[in-house]
Amino acid sequence: MKIQRLGTLMIVFTLLFFSGCSQKKETQPTQLTGNWAPFNKRQIENLINQYGKEGKSYNPGKPPYVVFDWDNTSVFLDIQEATLIYQLENLLFGCTPETLDLALHTGIDTSIDLTDTNTNRDKITVNQVASDIINSYTWLYKHYSKLNGGGMQTLEEIKESSHYQNFITKVRFLYEAIYNTYSADAAYPWVTYLFAGLDSTQIAAMTEQTVKWQQNQKIEKVTWSSPTPKELPEQLAGQVTITWKNGLRLVPEMQELYNTLRKAGFDIWVCSASFVDVIKGISTNPDFGYNMEASHIMAMELERDSNGIILPEFRKGYDQTQGEGKTKTILRFLAGPSGKYGYDPVLIAGDSGGDQNMLTDFKGLKLGLIFNRLKGKGELLGELAQNAVDSYQKTDAKYLLQGRNENTGKLVPSQENIPYGETKGKKLP
């Protein structure tokens, strides 16, 4: 009788054991960390839980996907502009003066007076500034040992020359002046033409060096001034001054979001107005935490020769990846009838007018995440920001406005942007 009873207990134990093993382990809902605005955090978490692997409708054959802008969205500040500064300070150029001259004049009417300039003259043109740049670059090319012009001087020696300061200041000045005089359509491709003569490997290395250098720089405004006519005679544009923001930072919340989405079964894409090799250089580098695939980067493209050397010419058949061009690019490669998916992204994130089209052009979009830079007054972006403010805490909110402190580069747990040099935040411009 005891033996029979013992056998019965063993059978029951065995059934319970294997029954417990066969049950599906209950997963925990996604929980993000960091300084997200609480409502934004919940909305993003809900989207991941609903459309990710644990959602009832998830189909690995038709995975949900997201599209992120890069500059001032995935990172604080602009990697293209930071790389430009690093390129200038270290004279990392691969072209002759003749090729650089071609690059400076590509895609713009160089005879038009520049606007919003900080100079000692009433009016100057691109031609005048470009002439000063080429004159100084020609001197640098002939004297600096790493510009392949037969020079023998070190970078330290070169930096003592007035031509060095004239060159780096006027290139950075001209980029800003082209943006203010023409538009992003002219300025964003123009700055990429300065990579002429280099290849992808060199751009990746330059970008990596830029990111590591920037992490140790103060978040501050930096001002450069070119030499006076007395210090460097025969300048056509005279002395110019340019100020920009320094101190690019990686964003831990975005690093986590990228990896959380990927783990939950979402495909991640970047659509950026920076040069494609620069974005690949920062986003795919394992040291920087975003872990992107190079094939998932959509950004500004340039022509290359048969050896992969970059040419100062925008790639034929490609749209600029800013403004309407971002929508066209996403449709072409992802969402359109011939795209990889044929359906819309569920989440798009951006920060500027260059992102407003892609934030509104896809009917299947579930969430639009906007990093608040107090931009877009009188524009569509401003309307989206207002929509996010009005719908905050409402379960059907489609647009989210995420705040940040421009003094630290860190997110803040609200919708407010704290402008550089200030302590109080604002929701709208």
Side-chain angles (χ1 to χ4, degrees):
M1 196 68 163
K2 290 182 179 179
I3 294 174
Q4 182 179 5
R5 192 173 171 189
L6 180 62
T8 301
L9 288 172
M10 289 182 65
I11 291 171
V12 172
F13 175 80
T14 302
L15 289 172
L16 289 171
F17 176 80
F18 282 105
S19 175
C21 288
S22 64
Q23 290 180 359
K24 183 179 179 181
K25 186 177 179 180
E26 194 171 322
T27 58
Q28 295 296 318
T30 297
Q31 289 189 323
L32 300 173
T33 61
N35 286 333
W36 293 104
F39 176 70
N40 295 349
K41 176 177 177 292
R42 290 196 302 273
Q43 291 295 91
I44 297 170
E45 290 170 345
N46 290 341
L47 179 136
I48 296 172
N49 293 326
Q50 181 176 354
Y51 295 99
K53 286 180 179 179
E54 302 305 322
K56 294 180 180 179
S57 62
Y58 184 80
N59 179 356
K62 297 181 66 177
Y65 69 98
V66 305
V67 180
F68 290 134
D69 172 51
W70 190 262
D71 299 309
N72 276 303
T73 297
S74 299
V75 296
F76 172 66
L77 297 185
D78 188 306
I79 184 57
Q80 179 73 60
E81 294 181 2
T83 302
L84 171 61
I85 297 301
Y86 190 84
Q87 181 185 20
L88 289 169
E89 286 195 345
N90 295 278
L91 294 180
L92 299 175
F93 290 83
C95 59
T96 64
E98 291 75 21
T99 299
L100 181 61
D101 192 35
L102 174 64
L104 296 179
H105 290 82
T106 298
I108 51 178
D109 182 346
T110 57
S111 63
I112 293 177
D113 291 336
L114 295 171
T115 60
D116 298 326
T117 58
N118 191 354
T119 73
N120 61 353
R121 302 178 61 150
D122 292 335
K123 294 181 179 180
I124 57 173
T125 65
V126 173
N127 277 332
Q128 291 173 316
V129 182
S131 177
D132 290 350
I133 290 171
I134 293 303
N135 285 340
S136 286
Y137 185 71
T138 300
W139 187 93
L140 295 170
Y141 188 78
K142 292 178 179 178
H143 290 82
Y144 180 39
S145 61
K146 294 187 178 180
L147 284 180
N148 300 318
M152 301 294 291
Q153 294 186 26
T154 66
L155 184 59
E156 289 70 25
E157 292 171 325
I158 286 293
K159 287 184 176 182
E160 297 299 319
S161 165
S162 295
H163 283 291
Y164 172 81
Q165 194 63 35
N166 194 54
F167 173 71
I168 66 173
T169 301
K170 285 185 175 171
V171 170
R172 184 59 182 83
F173 167 87
L174 188 53
Y175 167 59
E176 192 90 3
I178 289 173
Y179 182 92
N180 292 331
T181 304
Y182 302 91
S183 67
D185 293 348
Y188 288 170
W190 182 90
V191 73
T192 68
Y193 301 149
L194 301 176
F195 292 135
L198 303 175
D199 61 24
S200 295
T201 300
Q202 290 170 307
I203 301 301
M206 190 192 308
T207 305
E208 178 179 2
Q209 292 159 4
T210 298
V211 176
K212 292 180 177 179
W213 164 66
Q214 282 285 287
Q215 300 308 293
N216 296 314
Q217 297 296 300
K218 289 175 60 178
I219 295 175
E220 62 180 352
K221 290 185 178 180
V222 176
T223 299
W224 281 350
S225 293
S226 65
T228 65
K230 183 177 180 180
E231 293 169 323
L232 188 63
E234 300 181 1
Q235 297 183 58
L236 296 182
Q239 186 179 37
V240 304
T241 301
I242 182 65
T243 300
W244 74 92
K245 291 179 181 177
N246 202 42
L248 180 139
R249 297 290 186 266
L250 307 176
V251 179
E253 289 87 351
M254 292 302 288
Q255 293 169 324
E256 181 189 44
L257 182 56
Y258 270 64
N259 292 302
T260 299
L261 285 164
R262 191 177 293 113
K263 185 177 179 181
F266 292 77
D267 286 352
I268 317 295
W269 292 82
V270 169
C271 189
S272 170
S274 291
F275 184 50
V276 64
D277 288 345
V278 170
I279 299 301
K280 288 179 181 179
I282 185 172
S283 67
T284 68
N285 190 317
D287 291 343
F288 303 146
Y290 295 88
N291 302 310
M292 282 296 298
E293 299 176 42
S295 61
H296 281 213
I297 305 301
M298 302 177 293
M300 292 289 195
E301 298 269 2
L302 298 181
E303 292 288 353
R304 304 166 196 252
D305 69 12
S306 58
N307 295 316
I309 302 300
I310 296 165
L311 302 174
E313 181 183 350
F314 202 82
R315 188 173 178 184
K316 297 178 182 65
Y318 278 69
D319 292 295
Q320 288 190 30
T321 41
Q322 58 97 17
E324 293 179 358
K326 286 199 173 189
T327 294
K328 292 178 181 178
T329 299
I330 294 169
L331 284 171
R332 175 182 178 183
F333 293 105
L334 305 179
S338 61
K340 177 179 175 63
Y341 304 100
Y343 50 90
D344 293 342
V346 295
L347 169 65
I348 292 177
D351 69 282
S352 70
D355 305 313
Q356 63 188 10
N357 294 88
M358 70 173 179
L359 281 163
T360 55
D361 288 343
F362 298 96
K363 293 182 179 179
L365 183 72
K366 306 303 178 184
L367 279 182
L369 175 61
I370 302 167
F371 285 86
N372 190 356
R373 296 176 59 210
L374 299 176
K375 299 284 187 179
K377 189 173 183 178
E379 300 177 356
L380 177 58
L381 179 70
E383 295 177 17
L384 299 180
Q386 182 69 63
N387 178 289
V389 170
D390 294 340
S391 63
Y392 194 71
Q393 299 291 9
K394 296 181 181 179
T395 56
D396 61 348
K398 182 175 182 179
Y399 292 101
L400 309 176
L401 188 64
Q402 175 58 48
R404 184 162 54 197
N405 187 338
E406 303 293 336
N407 299 281
T408 65
K410 296 180 179 180
L411 300 191
V412 294
S414 76
Q415 293 183 308
E416 295 182 345
N417 172 288
I418 304 175
Y420 179 79
E422 300 181 24
T423 57
K424 292 184 178 180
K426 303 176 184 177
K427 289 183 181 180
L428 298 169

